[in-house]
PDB file of all heavy atoms in Angstrom:
ATOM      1  N   LEU A1690      42.258  21.024   2.698  1.00 98.00           N
ATOM      2  CA  LEU A1690      41.777  22.392   2.769  1.00 98.00           C
ATOM      3  C   LEU A1690      41.520  22.736   4.228  1.00 98.00           C
ATOM      4  O   LEU A1690      40.806  22.018   4.929  1.00 98.00           O
ATOM      5  CB  LEU A1690      40.479  22.550   1.964  1.00 98.00           C
ATOM      6  CG  LEU A1690      39.743  23.886   2.112  1.00 98.00           C
ATOM      7  CD1 LEU A1690      40.582  25.037   1.567  1.00 98.00           C
ATOM      8  CD2 LEU A1690      38.380  23.831   1.415  1.00 98.00           C
ATOM      9  N   LEU A1691      42.117  23.827   4.689  1.00 98.00           N
ATOM     10  CA  LEU A1691      41.817  24.346   6.018  1.00 98.00           C
ATOM     11  C   LEU A1691      40.574  25.223   5.934  1.00 98.00           C
ATOM     12  O   LEU A1691      40.457  26.073   5.042  1.00 98.00           O
ATOM     13  CB  LEU A1691      42.994  25.170   6.541  1.00 98.00           C
ATOM     14  CG  LEU A1691      44.245  24.390   6.928  1.00 98.00           C
ATOM     15  CD1 LEU A1691      45.441  25.330   7.047  1.00 98.00           C
ATOM     16  CD2 LEU A1691      44.019  23.650   8.250  1.00 98.00           C
ATOM     17  N   MET A1692      39.643  25.027   6.869  1.00 98.00           N
ATOM     18  CA  MET A1692      38.431  25.836   6.922  1.00 98.00           C
ATOM     19  C   MET A1692      38.348  26.414   8.329  1.00 98.00           C
ATOM     20  O   MET A1692      38.153  25.675   9.303  1.00 98.00           O
ATOM     21  CB  MET A1692      37.207  24.997   6.569  1.00 98.00           C
ATOM     22  CG  MET A1692      37.347  24.283   5.228  1.00 98.00           C
ATOM     23  SD  MET A1692      35.898  23.318   4.723  1.00 98.00           S
ATOM     24  CE  MET A1692      34.934  24.589   3.900  1.00 98.00           C
ATOM     25  N   ALA A1693      38.525  27.730   8.435  1.00 98.00           N
ATOM     26  CA  ALA A1693      38.650  28.401   9.725  1.00 98.00           C
ATOM     27  C   ALA A1693      37.413  29.249   9.998  1.00 98.00           C
ATOM     28  O   ALA A1693      37.217  30.295   9.373  1.00 98.00           O
ATOM     29  CB  ALA A1693      39.907  29.265   9.749  1.00 98.00           C
ATOM     30  N   ASP A1694      36.582  28.795  10.923  1.00 98.00           N
ATOM     31  CA  ASP A1694      35.400  29.537  11.349  1.00 98.00           C
ATOM     32  C   ASP A1694      35.854  30.504  12.444  1.00 98.00           C
ATOM     33  O   ASP A1694      36.061  30.110  13.591  1.00 98.00           O
ATOM     34  CB  ASP A1694      34.359  28.552  11.870  1.00 98.00           C
ATOM     35  CG  ASP A1694      33.038  29.221  12.226  1.00 98.00           C
ATOM     36  OD1 ASP A1694      33.019  30.446  12.410  1.00 98.00           O
ATOM     37  OD2 ASP A1694      32.027  28.496  12.366  1.00 98.00           O
ATOM     38  N   GLU A1695      36.007  31.783  12.083  1.00 98.00           N
ATOM     39  CA  GLU A1695      36.554  32.789  12.988  1.00 98.00           C
ATOM     40  C   GLU A1695      35.540  33.896  13.267  1.00 98.00           C
ATOM     41  O   GLU A1695      35.907  35.062  13.492  1.00 98.00           O
ATOM     42  CB  GLU A1695      37.855  33.353  12.405  1.00 98.00           C
ATOM     43  CG  GLU A1695      38.944  32.290  12.270  1.00 98.00           C
ATOM     44  CD  GLU A1695      40.256  32.777  11.692  1.00 98.00           C
ATOM     45  OE1 GLU A1695      40.291  33.928  11.193  1.00 98.00           O
ATOM     46  OE2 GLU A1695      41.242  32.015  11.736  1.00 98.00           O
ATOM     47  N   ILE A1696      34.262  33.541  13.316  1.00 97.00           N
ATOM     48  CA  ILE A1696      33.198  34.529  13.483  1.00 97.00           C
ATOM     49  C   ILE A1696      33.292  35.267  14.819  1.00 97.00           C
ATOM     50  O   ILE A1696      32.805  36.386  14.965  1.00 97.00           O
ATOM     51  CB  ILE A1696      31.818  33.857  13.317  1.00 97.00           C
ATOM     52  CG1 ILE A1696      30.676  34.884  13.272  1.00 97.00           C
ATOM     53  CG2 ILE A1696      31.570  32.840  14.418  1.00 97.00           C
ATOM     54  CD1 ILE A1696      30.644  35.712  12.036  1.00 97.00           C
ATOM     55  N   TYR A1697      33.974  34.670  15.822  1.00 98.00           N
ATOM     56  CA  TYR A1697      34.109  35.299  17.141  1.00 98.00           C
ATOM     57  C   TYR A1697      35.495  35.909  17.339  1.00 98.00           C
ATOM     58  O   TYR A1697      35.943  36.075  18.482  1.00 98.00           O
ATOM     59  CB  TYR A1697      33.839  34.267  18.240  1.00 98.00           C
ATOM     60  CG  TYR A1697      32.448  33.693  18.193  1.00 98.00           C
ATOM     61  CD1 TYR A1697      32.196  32.455  17.598  1.00 98.00           C
ATOM     62  CD2 TYR A1697      31.363  34.381  18.732  1.00 98.00           C
ATOM     63  CE1 TYR A1697      30.916  31.937  17.540  1.00 98.00           C
ATOM     64  CE2 TYR A1697      30.075  33.871  18.682  1.00 98.00           C
ATOM     65  CZ  TYR A1697      29.865  32.649  18.079  1.00 98.00           C
ATOM     66  OH  TYR A1697      28.584  32.139  18.027  1.00 98.00           O
ATOM     67  N   ASP A1698      36.168  36.263  16.267  1.00 97.00           N
ATOM     68  CA  ASP A1698      37.591  36.610  16.360  1.00 97.00           C
ATOM     69  C   ASP A1698      37.895  37.800  17.263  1.00 97.00           C
ATOM     70  O   ASP A1698      39.012  37.916  17.776  1.00 97.00           O
ATOM     71  CB  ASP A1698      38.197  36.819  14.968  1.00 97.00           C
ATOM     72  CG  ASP A1698      37.517  37.923  14.171  1.00 97.00           C
ATOM     73  OD1 ASP A1698      36.567  38.551  14.683  1.00 97.00           O
ATOM     74  OD2 ASP A1698      37.931  38.163  13.026  1.00 97.00           O
ATOM     75  N   GLY A1699      36.963  38.691  17.490  1.00 96.00           N
ATOM     76  CA  GLY A1699      37.216  39.854  18.335  1.00 96.00           C
ATOM     77  C   GLY A1699      36.666  39.743  19.731  1.00 96.00           C
ATOM     78  O   GLY A1699      36.780  40.688  20.527  1.00 96.00           O
ATOM     79  N   ILE A1700      36.057  38.594  20.069  1.00 98.00           N
ATOM     80  CA  ILE A1700      35.407  38.445  21.376  1.00 98.00           C
ATOM     81  C   ILE A1700      36.306  37.602  22.265  1.00 98.00           C
ATOM     82  O   ILE A1700      36.317  36.368  22.204  1.00 98.00           O
ATOM     83  CB  ILE A1700      34.010  37.816  21.224  1.00 98.00           C
ATOM     84  CG1 ILE A1700      33.158  38.672  20.281  1.00 98.00           C
ATOM     85  CG2 ILE A1700      33.342  37.666  22.584  1.00 98.00           C
ATOM     86  CD1 ILE A1700      31.768  38.136  20.017  1.00 98.00           C
ATOM     87  N   LEU A1701      37.092  38.282  23.106  1.00 98.00           N
ATOM     88  CA  LEU A1701      38.110  37.642  23.941  1.00 98.00           C
ATOM     89  C   LEU A1701      38.049  38.234  25.341  1.00 98.00           C
ATOM     90  O   LEU A1701      37.697  39.409  25.516  1.00 98.00           O
ATOM     91  CB  LEU A1701      39.503  37.854  23.347  1.00 98.00           C
ATOM     92  CG  LEU A1701      39.715  37.268  21.947  1.00 98.00           C
ATOM     93  CD1 LEU A1701      40.873  37.960  21.261  1.00 98.00           C
ATOM     94  CD2 LEU A1701      39.974  35.769  22.044  1.00 98.00           C
ATOM     95  N   TYR A1702      38.418  37.431  26.346  1.00 98.00           N
ATOM     96  CA  TYR A1702      38.338  37.854  27.740  1.00 98.00           C
ATOM     97  C   TYR A1702      39.710  37.813  28.399  1.00 98.00           C
ATOM     98  O   TYR A1702      40.572  36.996  28.044  1.00 98.00           O
ATOM     99  CB  TYR A1702      37.364  36.952  28.499  1.00 98.00           C
ATOM    100  CG  TYR A1702      36.006  36.898  27.853  1.00 98.00           C
ATOM    101  CD1 TYR A1702      35.626  35.808  27.072  1.00 98.00           C
ATOM    102  CD2 TYR A1702      35.102  37.951  27.985  1.00 98.00           C
ATOM    103  CE1 TYR A1702      34.382  35.766  26.461  1.00 98.00           C
ATOM    104  CE2 TYR A1702      33.863  37.920  27.377  1.00 98.00           C
ATOM    105  CZ  TYR A1702      33.509  36.822  26.608  1.00 98.00           C
ATOM    106  OH  TYR A1702      32.283  36.789  25.996  1.00 98.00           O
ATOM    107  N   ASP A1703      39.874  38.697  29.388  1.00 95.00           N
ATOM    108  CA  ASP A1703      41.102  38.790  30.165  1.00 95.00           C
ATOM    109  C   ASP A1703      42.289  39.027  29.228  1.00 95.00           C
ATOM    110  O   ASP A1703      42.220  39.898  28.362  1.00 95.00           O
ATOM    111  CB  ASP A1703      41.275  37.543  31.042  1.00 95.00           C
ATOM    112  CG  ASP A1703      40.123  37.402  32.042  1.00 95.00           C
ATOM    113  OD1 ASP A1703      39.495  38.430  32.369  1.00 95.00           O
ATOM    114  OD2 ASP A1703      39.853  36.275  32.490  1.00 95.00           O
ATOM    115  N   ASP A1704      43.341  38.254  29.353  1.00 91.00           N
ATOM    116  CA  ASP A1704      44.527  38.484  28.528  1.00 91.00           C
ATOM    117  C   ASP A1704      44.610  37.536  27.339  1.00 91.00           C
ATOM    118  O   ASP A1704      45.680  37.400  26.720  1.00 91.00           O
ATOM    119  CB  ASP A1704      45.790  38.330  29.388  1.00 91.00           C
ATOM    120  CG  ASP A1704      45.866  39.375  30.485  1.00 91.00           C
ATOM    121  OD1 ASP A1704      45.452  40.527  30.232  1.00 91.00           O
ATOM    122  OD2 ASP A1704      46.322  39.040  31.594  1.00 91.00           O
ATOM    123  N   ASN A1705      43.523  36.886  26.999  1.00 95.00           N
ATOM    124  CA  ASN A1705      43.550  35.927  25.897  1.00 95.00           C
ATOM    125  C   ASN A1705      43.626  36.653  24.560  1.00 95.00           C
ATOM    126  O   ASN A1705      43.094  37.750  24.394  1.00 95.00           O
ATOM    127  CB  ASN A1705      42.305  35.039  25.955  1.00 95.00           C
ATOM    128  CG  ASN A1705      42.320  34.133  27.172  1.00 95.00           C
ATOM    129  OD1 ASN A1705      43.158  33.248  27.277  1.00 95.00           O
ATOM    130  ND2 ASN A1705      41.416  34.374  28.113  1.00 95.00           N
ATOM    131  N   THR A1706      44.299  36.016  23.616  1.00 94.00           N
ATOM    132  CA  THR A1706      44.519  36.622  22.307  1.00 94.00           C
ATOM    133  C   THR A1706      43.989  35.697  21.212  1.00 94.00           C
ATOM    134  O   THR A1706      43.777  34.511  21.427  1.00 94.00           O
ATOM    135  CB  THR A1706      46.013  36.883  22.065  1.00 94.00           C
ATOM    136  OG1 THR A1706      46.730  35.643  22.172  1.00 94.00           O
ATOM    137  CG2 THR A1706      46.557  37.873  23.081  1.00 94.00           C
ATOM    138  N   PHE A1707      43.807  36.282  20.043  1.00 97.00           N
ATOM    139  CA  PHE A1707      43.337  35.532  18.877  1.00 97.00           C
ATOM    140  C   PHE A1707      44.429  35.502  17.820  1.00 97.00           C
ATOM    141  O   PHE A1707      45.006  36.538  17.481  1.00 97.00           O
ATOM    142  CB  PHE A1707      42.078  36.170  18.296  1.00 97.00           C
ATOM    143  CG  PHE A1707      41.734  35.676  16.925  1.00 97.00           C
ATOM    144  CD1 PHE A1707      41.230  34.410  16.742  1.00 97.00           C
ATOM    145  CD2 PHE A1707      41.950  36.482  15.813  1.00 97.00           C
ATOM    146  CE1 PHE A1707      40.934  33.944  15.466  1.00 97.00           C
ATOM    147  CE2 PHE A1707      41.651  36.024  14.535  1.00 97.00           C
ATOM    148  CZ  PHE A1707      41.140  34.749  14.372  1.00 97.00           C
ATOM    149  N   GLN A1708      44.689  34.303  17.293  1.00 97.00           N
ATOM    150  CA  GLN A1708      45.654  34.128  16.202  1.00 97.00           C
ATOM    151  C   GLN A1708      44.911  33.672  14.955  1.00 97.00           C
ATOM    152  O   GLN A1708      44.397  32.554  14.909  1.00 97.00           O
ATOM    153  CB  GLN A1708      46.711  33.095  16.581  1.00 97.00           C
ATOM    154  CG  GLN A1708      47.617  32.670  15.436  1.00 97.00           C
ATOM    155  CD  GLN A1708      48.427  33.802  14.857  1.00 97.00           C
ATOM    156  OE1 GLN A1708      49.167  34.466  15.571  1.00 97.00           O
ATOM    157  NE2 GLN A1708      48.298  34.042  13.551  1.00 97.00           N
ATOM    158  N   PRO A1709      44.814  34.510  13.926  1.00 98.00           N
ATOM    159  CA  PRO A1709      44.167  34.064  12.689  1.00 98.00           C
ATOM    160  C   PRO A1709      44.974  32.943  12.040  1.00 98.00           C
ATOM    161  O   PRO A1709      46.204  32.906  12.136  1.00 98.00           O
ATOM    162  CB  PRO A1709      44.115  35.317  11.828  1.00 98.00           C
ATOM    163  CG  PRO A1709      45.163  36.217  12.383  1.00 98.00           C
ATOM    164  CD  PRO A1709      45.276  35.909  13.839  1.00 98.00           C
ATOM    165  N   LEU A1710      44.276  32.052  11.371  1.00 98.00           N
ATOM    166  CA  LEU A1710      44.910  30.870  10.793  1.00 98.00           C
ATOM    167  C   LEU A1710      45.599  31.162   9.464  1.00 98.00           C
ATOM    168  O   LEU A1710      46.694  30.653   9.197  1.00 98.00           O
ATOM    169  CB  LEU A1710      43.871  29.765  10.609  1.00 98.00           C
ATOM    170  CG  LEU A1710      44.392  28.417  10.115  1.00 98.00           C
ATOM    171  CD1 LEU A1710      45.362  27.805  11.131  1.00 98.00           C
ATOM    172  CD2 LEU A1710      43.234  27.464   9.844  1.00 98.00           C
TER     173      LEU A1710
END
Side-chain angles (χ1 to χ4, degrees):
L1690 171 64
L1691 289 164
M1692 306 182 87
D1694 185 341
E1695 297 180 350
I1696 189 70
Y1697 298 99
D1698 59 0
I1700 303 178
L1701 299 158
Y1702 305 102
D1703 299 336
D1704 296 323
N1705 293 294
T1706 58
F1707 166 73
Q1708 170 62 57
L1710 185 63

